[in-house]
Amino acid sequence: MPNRLQTVGCRAFACAAAILLAPAAVAQTTPAAGAARIAEHMEVVGADGAHVGTVDKVENGTIVLAETDRDAGGRHHAVPIAWIGTVDGKVLLTKPAAEAKAQWDRADKPTDGPKH
């Protein structure tokens, strides 16, 4: 039977391990925190993992997608940073790709969020 010191030590080790092994996405609690990690040319995907676009830049609360992307139709599009779920090598949105594309806005127009 373990003594009290061994039990307390094991619990402390388990807590420390849980903190160290926690995914980085847990630390990202806001879309704005994710936006700070976005880099040019990152892929943007929907919540379903389907391709939405490629990052051109981040400005005025939006991710501006490259007009040269295969899905862009030769135009810049913008999605609000509020749609960001996580950023880890690519931008994962909280909406499925088809929904994001149906609601994206032209980058030259101000965007306050999805249009209804």
Side-chain angles (χ1 to χ4, degrees), residues 28-54:
Q28 177 189 322
T29 57
T30 66
R37 298 177 58 205
I38 295 174
E40 188 177 335
H41 304 296
M42 270 187 173
E43 182 181 18
V44 178
V45 297
D48 54 359
H51 180 80
V52 173
T54 304

Side-chain angles (χ1 to χ4, degrees), residues 86-103:
T86 60
V87 179
D88 189 18
K90 62 176 86 175
V91 180
L92 178 67
L93 302 177
T94 57
K95 297 175 176 280
E99 185 178 340
K101 289 178 183 180
Q103 296 177 350

Side-chain angles (χ1 to χ4, degrees), residues 10-25:
C10 288
R11 286 186 188 144
F13 177 77
C15 289
I19 291 168
L20 292 173
L21 298 176

Side-chain angles (χ1 to χ4, degrees), residues 32-107:
R37 298 177 58 205
I38 295 174
E40 188 177 335
H41 304 296
M42 270 187 173
E43 182 181 18
V44 178
V45 297
D48 54 359
H51 180 80
V52 173
T54 304
V55 175
D56 188 27
K57 58 188 169 187
V58 177
E59 70 177 10
N60 299 327
T62 61
I63 303 167
V64 179
L65 303 176
E67 64 187 354
T68 55
D69 185 84
R70 67 179 185 254
D71 292 353
R75 299 185 325 193
H76 282 110
H77 295 281
V79 296
I81 63 168
W83 295 359
I84 296 173
T86 60
V87 179
D88 189 18
K90 62 176 86 175
V91 180
L92 178 67
L93 302 177
T94 57
K95 297 175 176 280
E99 185 178 340
K101 289 178 183 180
Q103 296 177 350
W104 63 14
D105 296 313
R106 293 276 316 261

